[in-house]
Amino acid sequence: MRFPNLIKLGVFAIALFSCSMLLSFVVADRLAEDIWKRLGINRQEGAEKIRNSFVDGYLHYEGLSNVKNLAFNDRTAVARDLMTFAKQYLNGPVFKAEYDKLRKEAHPVQPVENTRTKEQIRDEQIAELKKSMATMEDLAKTMPADQKKAYQSSIEEYKKMLKDYEAPNNPTIEMMYEQQVGTNKQDLQHYKEDLKNWETGYPADSKQFVKARLQHYLSVAATVDFSAQLTEKYGRKRFVNPTYQAKNNEWKMIYRAGKEVYEQTKPFAEQWIKELQ
């Protein structure tokens, strides 16, 4: 089984907040209802978005119709509140239970040892040949005399192949056996690689999973040039610097949120990481 390294996918919840696509999860009643209305979602939708975005490894921002209308001052204030609530949720038992389930479901499936012996392969091939030869002989009986010769020629070829397969050191049987051994060895190697990636991407402690996401966010955000210039082309805003234009969505979303929001999320994430040591 092949799966992506979740640590490298998307920006963890803190990044989502700093990307102007502000999400939330309700863990206390002190989050005012008017904030949800300003974001364009209700409480239940907010809960689903933060959970799915964090677990899936990419941003679920569909339906957040009002986020872009928030003034920068509002964004930083809302971000602070949402980060606080997200921290409570991600450190709590609900997320731990969801994470443990996700981790279990993502565990690679170990390949089953099903290597056949050379004799088993030989018996299977001989059985298939005999079956095909019997079918050909039955068809030959129904064919006109002028066509039976061609069928008889094919039957003779089957008989020759059958004799070859019955030989103790038939090279075809040897080749089939070696191919099978090679495929099984490759499957086992893939499993070991997937298991190693799984152990890295899904640490046993959910807090370490959170920590890795926080570190990934900080590493991406540290490269963002908030002074980068934009220009309009083809009716859309584009970076003047082609290197910035080639950046992925994580980088661009953090840029769009602005330096003010980043200055709120950076110390929050750094402090959170310290607490997760």
Side-chain angles (χ1 to χ4, degrees):
M1 181 182 76
R2 319 303 289 175
F3 56 87
N5 185 335
L6 291 183
I7 296 177
K8 295 181 180 179
L9 283 178
V11 183
F12 152 71
I14 291 298
L16 304 183
F17 302 146
S18 72
C19 293
S20 79
M21 305 299 188
L22 306 177
L23 310 177
S24 68
F25 187 91
V26 179
V27 295
D29 290 334
R30 64 188 183 87
L31 179 59
E33 284 294 341
D34 67 326
I35 293 181
W36 297 103
K37 293 178 181 178
R38 288 159 64 192
L39 291 175
I41 55 177
N42 58 40
R43 290 180 177 231
Q44 182 60 35
E45 291 170 333
E48 293 175 356
K49 288 182 185 301
I50 189 173
R51 180 182 65 246
N52 294 338
S53 294
F54 183 82
V55 170
D56 294 344
Y58 61 89
L59 177 62
H60 287 267
Y61 59 85
E62 57 280 355
L64 293 178
S65 57
N66 296 347
V67 173
K68 292 183 179 180
N69 296 327
L70 292 176
F72 274 110
N73 289 339
D74 291 335
R75 291 184 184 183
T76 56
V78 172
R80 284 195 301 270
D81 286 341
L82 295 178
M83 287 188 294
T84 299
F85 294 126
K87 181 179 178 181
Q88 294 175 9
Y89 162 61
L90 295 171
N91 284 345
V94 175
F95 174 73
K96 184 181 184 305
E98 292 177 341
Y99 174 76
D100 289 344
K101 180 181 178 182
L102 172 69
R103 183 174 185 266
K104 183 178 180 180
E105 292 174 348
H107 193 291
V109 178
Q110 185 170 359
V112 178
E113 174 55 47
N114 60 354
T115 303
R116 296 168 297 165
T117 65
K118 294 178 184 179
E119 288 308 311
Q120 287 175 322
I121 295 175
R122 189 192 313 279
D123 290 343
E124 289 176 4
Q125 294 302 311
I126 288 175
E128 285 296 322
L129 273 176
K130 287 182 176 180
K131 181 178 178 181
S132 297
M133 190 165 61
T135 300
M136 188 68 68
E137 288 174 339
D138 289 340
L139 284 173
K141 295 175 183 178
T142 65
M143 293 293 109
D146 60 337
Q147 297 182 23
K148 285 186 178 182
K149 185 176 180 180
Y151 277 85
Q152 190 59 42
S153 177
S154 296
I155 292 171
E156 293 301 320
E157 285 295 324
Y158 279 130
K159 289 181 178 179
K160 183 178 181 302
M161 291 172 63
L162 184 60
K163 185 176 180 181
D164 289 341
Y165 279 146
E166 290 172 343
N169 298 317
N170 179 265
T172 302
I173 299 298
E174 292 286 340
M175 180 187 69
M176 290 180 176
Y177 176 77
E178 293 300 328
Q179 286 179 337
Q180 173 193 235
V181 170
T183 298
N184 290 343
K185 183 178 180 180
Q186 189 177 53
D187 289 344
L188 182 59
Q189 182 60 36
H190 285 163
Y191 167 73
K192 290 180 178 179
E193 293 173 359
D194 287 342
L195 185 61
K196 185 177 180 180
N197 290 334
W198 175 81
E199 290 170 346
T200 301
Y202 294 91
D205 187 351
S206 63
K207 291 182 179 180
Q208 295 307 305
F209 183 79
V210 172
K211 179 182 175 181
R213 288 300 178 89
L214 287 166
Q215 291 172 327
H216 176 66
Y217 162 68
L218 289 176
S219 68
V220 174
T223 68
V224 176
D225 180 1
F226 290 102
S227 65
Q229 298 299 306
L230 297 173
T231 185
E232 188 166 329
K233 190 174 183 180
Y234 308 121
R236 301 183 64 179
K237 294 289 186 180
R238 297 173 63 89
F239 287 99
V240 174
N241 187 331
T243 300
Y244 293 160
Q245 185 58 38
K247 294 290 187 180
N248 60 28
N249 285 337
E250 292 179 348
W251 195 96
K252 292 176 180 178
M253 290 169 72
I254 296 173
Y255 169 85
R256 286 197 294 269
K259 187 176 181 180
E260 294 84 355
V261 172
Y262 173 58
E263 289 175 343
Q264 295 291 328
T265 60
K266 182 176 183 292
F268 188 97
E270 290 174 337
Q271 178 57 36
W272 192 349
I273 289 174
K274 290 179 181 179
E275 296 171 10
L276 294 172
Q277 298 293 349

